Amino acid sequence: MADRKTLSCGRHWFSKTLPWTLLLLFLCFDSIGAAEAFTRNVTAQLNPGSHGTTRGDLLHIRAVGGNDTLHFLFCSHGAPTLLLVHTNTSSSTVSVNWTQFESHNASGSFKVEPESSVLYSSGLVFSRLLEYDDVNNTAQVTPELFPPYDLSNISWSQISLSDMTALLCGEINNGSLCVQLSYFQAEGRGQAWPRLLHTANTSQLAMWLDGVLPRAHRSRFLLELQAVGGQQPLSQVEVERSIDDEFTPSIFKVAQWVSKDDKDVLGFVQWKPVAYRHTSPALEDATPCRHSDPERQSAVAAESSSSLIQAFYTENEATYGLNVSFGLPGDPFYNSTLYLSWTMLVGVGAPPSDSFSPLVVAIVAVGLGAPLALLLVGGIWVCLRKRATSSSTLYEPIN
């Protein structure tokens, strides 16, 4: 009887403590992994080397690693532009000839030095915002587009810096188009949907329209992006699927506009195919977005849109462009909220890849592990019970 009580108590204790033990182990492993994550020393400087007032802003984010440096340049001279330059030294710097830079026609007026240290560079230009009247609610772009908003002709605000972010806004048709750059020292995840996973090798760009008056009763928008690069430009978009929508509910895909050599990804622009119609969105405020295939474009177009592209690249580099359209057939039109936001990640190396969080893994482990543990303990108890029953039926010697 004592053995049976002990076994029953042991089984009860084991079944109760196993889930919490597994959860504790997973959380411990996660904290160890986070402690060992790669980090960079990040500094920000507005208009480096300028000694007076400029007609636009140039923000330099310098992210220094052990033996390399990432230079993120966020510029409002012309269309909003993010230039990413990766060097093989932790001592590389930027140099700007402001007189030539502000003349908008001087190639080579912006440099990353030493120039021989540059491993990879890519420029991303927000070139145009397009609008069309979706009369039949098909979300198919019609040839009768309204005249596009050329973002190089917008009057942009000064870049505002706050807590590892930089905000740039311009006025469009009584509303605003804003672009926000976020930069990072280590791996983490955005707090707002779509909660993209970032690393120290990335920065994040969020774009939103707020209060822009539509030119039709059923308006939808497209954003035109141009990518300028060297020998390996951003030339193809890959779409990956996932079974996990933990961080971006209802979204199981991620799009990656990549630059590749023979086998490796050198740089990328990554986004989830979703936009949001409210500043603090609920699930029903999500609207899918689609992208066109990247097409080769004239380098002159990007150079004329962005002073930074013209200043950094001394030759006609390969240029590709694509459009991101917002909304599917049946989705509410932009007119319903007069707000639209979309977020993407820009970086070097392989893009971050989502995986199940430790909490989800722990829950799955508990859900599967606890029943298996109970079966195991129950099987052992049945075997021991049978042995005890068999032993009690044998004749005992008579003294």
Side-chain angles (χ1 to χ4, degrees):
M1 182 65 70
D3 289 342
R4 188 182 306 171
K5 271 189 177 180
T6 302
L7 188 58
S8 177
C9 290
R11 180 178 60 176
H12 179 74
W13 175 88
F14 189 67
S15 64
K16 290 294 186 183
T17 58
L18 178 63
W20 300 108
T21 303
L22 289 172
L23 180 59
L24 181 62
L25 286 173
F26 276 103
L27 292 178
C28 288
F29 290 152
D30 181 52
S31 63
I32 292 172
E36 296 176 351
F38 173 69
T39 61
R40 289 184 180 273
N41 181 25
V42 178
T43 57
Q45 184 181 12
L46 194 59
N47 301 320
S50 173
H51 301 291
T53 303
T54 63
R55 291 195 293 269
D57 283 332
L58 176 64
L59 175 65
H60 176 214
I61 307 299
R62 188 168 182 263
V64 181
N67 55 7
D68 71 334
T69 303
L70 295 179
H71 299 273
F72 294 97
L73 289 308
F74 187 41
C75 184
S76 63
H77 289 259
T81 302
L82 181 67
L83 175 67
L84 169 57
V85 182
H86 184 203
T87 69
N88 62 6
T89 173
S90 58
S91 59
S92 57
T93 59
V94 300
S95 171
V96 187
N97 183 324
W98 280 101
T99 302
Q100 294 181 2
F101 185 81
E102 293 203 292
S103 69
H104 300 291
N105 60 4
S107 177
S109 58
F110 174 85
K111 296 179 181 179
V112 174
E113 298 174 332
E115 294 182 68
S116 59
S117 68
V118 175
L119 297 174
Y120 170 80
S121 68
S122 179
L124 185 68
V125 182
F126 290 73
S127 52
R128 296 192 303 170
L129 180 69
L130 304 111
E131 181 183 0
Y132 67 99
D133 186 5
D134 189 9
V135 176
N136 299 315
N137 199 6
T138 61
Q140 296 296 322
V141 182
T142 62
E144 295 80 22
L145 288 165
F146 292 108
Y149 295 107
D150 187 338
L151 301 187
S152 64
N153 295 329
I154 300 298
S155 178
W156 296 101
S157 66
Q158 289 186 319
I159 293 177
S160 173
L161 300 179
S162 175
D163 192 25
M164 303 288 283
T165 64
L167 179 62
L168 176 66
C169 292
E171 183 178 336
I172 295 180
N173 203 13
N174 292 326
S176 61
L177 184 153
C178 294
V179 182
Q180 183 181 64
L181 172 71
S182 301
Y183 41 98
F184 313 105
Q185 293 179 317
E187 181 176 308
R189 191 176 291 278
Q191 296 301 308
W193 285 347
R195 300 202 63 198
L196 296 178
L197 175 66
H198 61 252
T199 70
N201 290 333
T202 64
S203 64
Q204 180 175 282
L205 287 168
M207 180 282 300
W208 63 84
L209 299 175
D210 190 1
V212 175
L213 294 180
R215 290 176 282 185
H217 295 298
R218 298 165 294 270
S219 280
R220 296 195 192 277
F221 283 94
L222 301 89
L223 180 66
E224 181 184 80
L225 299 173
Q226 294 175 322
V228 183
Q231 295 181 347
Q232 291 84 24
L234 296 167
S235 58
Q236 58 183 319
V237 176
E238 301 174 347
V239 178
E240 295 189 356
R241 299 177 183 272
S242 171
I243 61 171
D244 180 23
D245 70 338
E246 177 185 2
F247 299 105
T248 314
S250 78
I251 303 301
F252 297 91
K253 296 180 181 178
V254 60
Q256 296 170 165
W257 192 5
V258 295
S259 164
K260 283 186 172 182
D261 60 11
D262 293 337
K263 56 181 179 179
D264 297 321
V265 175
L266 303 178
F268 63 88
V269 177
Q270 181 191 70
W271 65 88
K272 296 284 184 74
V274 63
Y276 296 97
R277 294 188 299 270
H278 277 287
T279 54
S280 301
L283 183 59
E284 58 269 19
D285 299 318
T287 184
C289 58
R290 296 175 291 181
H291 64 270
S292 63
D293 292 330
E295 293 185 358
R296 189 73 180 258
Q297 296 185 348
S298 167
V300 177
E303 290 176 359
S304 62
S305 295
S306 170
S307 295
L308 181 58
I309 295 299
Q310 186 177 42
F312 179 70
Y313 290 107
T314 57
E315 299 179 2
N316 289 334
E317 302 289 347
T319 301
Y320 284 81
L322 60 73
N323 294 330
V324 178
S325 60
F326 305 101
L328 292 180
D331 280 354
F333 301 108
Y334 169 77
N335 311 54
S336 63
T337 61
L338 299 185
Y339 184 86
L340 185 70
S341 69
W342 179 63
T343 305
M344 59 183 167
L345 209 65
V346 180
V348 297
S353 179
D354 271 327
S355 59
F356 291 111
S357 70
L359 180 60
V360 171
V361 174
I363 291 172
V364 172
V366 168
L368 296 177
L372 290 175
L374 289 173
L375 287 173
L376 178 62
V377 172
I380 294 174
W381 182 82
V382 169
C383 291
L384 293 176
R385 175 65 177 163
K386 284 185 176 180
R387 289 188 61 183
T389 303
S390 299
S391 298
S392 64
T393 59
L394 296 177
Y395 292 105
E396 297 181 359
I398 301 174
N399 292 330

